[in-house]
Amino acid sequence: MHFTSEQRLDDGVLEREFTLGEIPGILWTPASASAPAPLILLGHPPLGLRKMYPRLVARARHSAAEGFATATIELPGSGDRPRWPAVEQARADLRRAMEASEPVSDEIVDALILPLVEKAVPEWQAALDALLLLPEIGGPVGYSGGVISIGIRLAVVEPRIVAAGFFAGSFVPRTMFEEARQVTIPLHVLLQWDDERNDRQAALDLFDAFSSKEKSLHANMGGHTGVPQFAGDAAAQFFTRHLK
């Protein structure tokens, strides 16, 4: 891990950009901490870190106020990373289907999501390896938001992640439902009831598939971008319970 820039935000949070091989990322740590801070990995949609930065830094500041360090990395094929022709084609197929108000086929969803999961999850694990070597960061570790299929896979294969907050707002391949049945860590799942980008029944079925003894579904009225502030506050309380 190589740090490429550093700045102190106006609330004292330290923001450092880094590269892990060819993967860009950002780490935020609280203004002051008497012990290594618990870590939350901030997932995000494949729109690029630059575009997602305002929302990511807001989440990071909120988490830092609760004593958490947060980190994120650029997803494969996004931002300044090399284009990924197969996934680019799947995105184009998805746009065409949605613009034509046609059902999104399983083939499009698989082509869009499964390669991303296969490539992104090992990168998240490599980032976690490097982050936990820093003296200012300790366990336990949580995962929050982003492409829910990536979160599912991480929850299954990464024992250092002890709690996860998922946003049921992205397409999920049918094969991921089987993996969901292997998830046993505490879960906090957010669902926007009128999400125009999400199959509500599929989201409910996915929640039902999780095998976690502690799992809660927080459904709110509104579309994809209409998540109320109190929903974010509830997610923060969830992580405080499980990471502190």
Side-chain angles (χ1 to χ4, degrees):
M1 175 176 284
H2 174 65
F3 287 105
T4 58
S5 71
E6 177 179 314
Q7 66 169 329
R8 185 74 67 173
L9 305 182
D10 55 16
D11 54 1
V13 173
L14 180 62
E15 176 184 280
R16 285 173 286 177
E17 296 187 4
F18 64 84
T19 56
L20 187 68
E22 298 179 353
I23 306 168
I26 310 174
L27 169 65
W28 294 273
T29 47
S32 60
S34 57
L39 175 66
I40 299 175
L41 303 176
L42 298 182
H44 54 89
L47 301 175
L49 285 183
R50 295 183 190 279
K51 186 172 183 178
M52 290 301 302
Y53 176 81
R55 278 189 274 176
L56 287 166
V57 72
R59 291 165 63 192
R61 287 174 183 262
H62 194 271
S63 296
E66 301 296 326
F68 297 115
T70 51
T72 192
I73 58 173
E74 188 73 88
L75 291 174
S78 298
D80 296 328
R81 297 189 65 178
R83 297 298 92 188
W84 200 351
V87 174
E88 291 287 316
Q89 181 60 54
R91 288 174 181 166
D93 292 341
L94 174 64
R95 283 194 298 270
R96 279 195 294 270
M98 296 186 75
E99 288 170 0
S101 298
E102 297 174 350
V104 178
S105 69
D106 290 344
E107 291 75 14
I108 292 176
V109 173
D110 288 354
L112 182 68
I113 301 298
L114 292 178
L116 184 62
V117 172
E118 293 295 331
K119 189 169 179 64
V121 167
E123 293 181 350
W124 272 113
Q125 291 182 290
L128 184 55
D129 290 341
L131 290 163
L132 289 178
L133 291 176
L134 300 174
E136 63 269 35
I137 295 178
V141 180
Y143 177 86
S144 174
V147 177
I148 194 169
S149 293
I150 291 175
I152 291 169
R153 175 68 60 81
L154 279 169
V156 171
V157 304
E158 182 47 72
R160 292 172 293 185
I161 295 176
V162 301
F166 291 154
F167 178 52
S170 56
F171 294 102
V172 181
R174 293 185 183 276
T175 57
M176 296 304 302
F177 281 70
E178 289 303 315
E179 290 196 41
R181 294 184 174 91
Q182 302 175 50
V183 175
T184 58
I185 62 174
L187 296 178
H188 179 99
V189 182
L190 177 63
L191 170 65
Q192 287 298 100
W193 200 249
D194 306 301
D195 191 340
E196 64 280 4
R197 305 182 192 176
N198 192 34
D199 182 332
R200 182 197 301 162
Q201 189 58 53
L204 295 174
D205 292 343
L206 181 64
F207 179 79
D208 190 51
F210 292 127
S211 296
S212 304
K213 291 182 178 179
E214 181 190 334
K215 59 179 181 178
S216 57
L217 178 66
H218 297 253
N220 297 285
M221 305 304 292
H224 189 80
T225 59
V227 180
Q229 179 59 49
F230 63 77
D233 295 339
Q237 293 167 6
F238 167 80
F239 283 115
T240 297
R241 287 200 311 275
H242 292 286
L243 301 186
K244 284 192 173 181

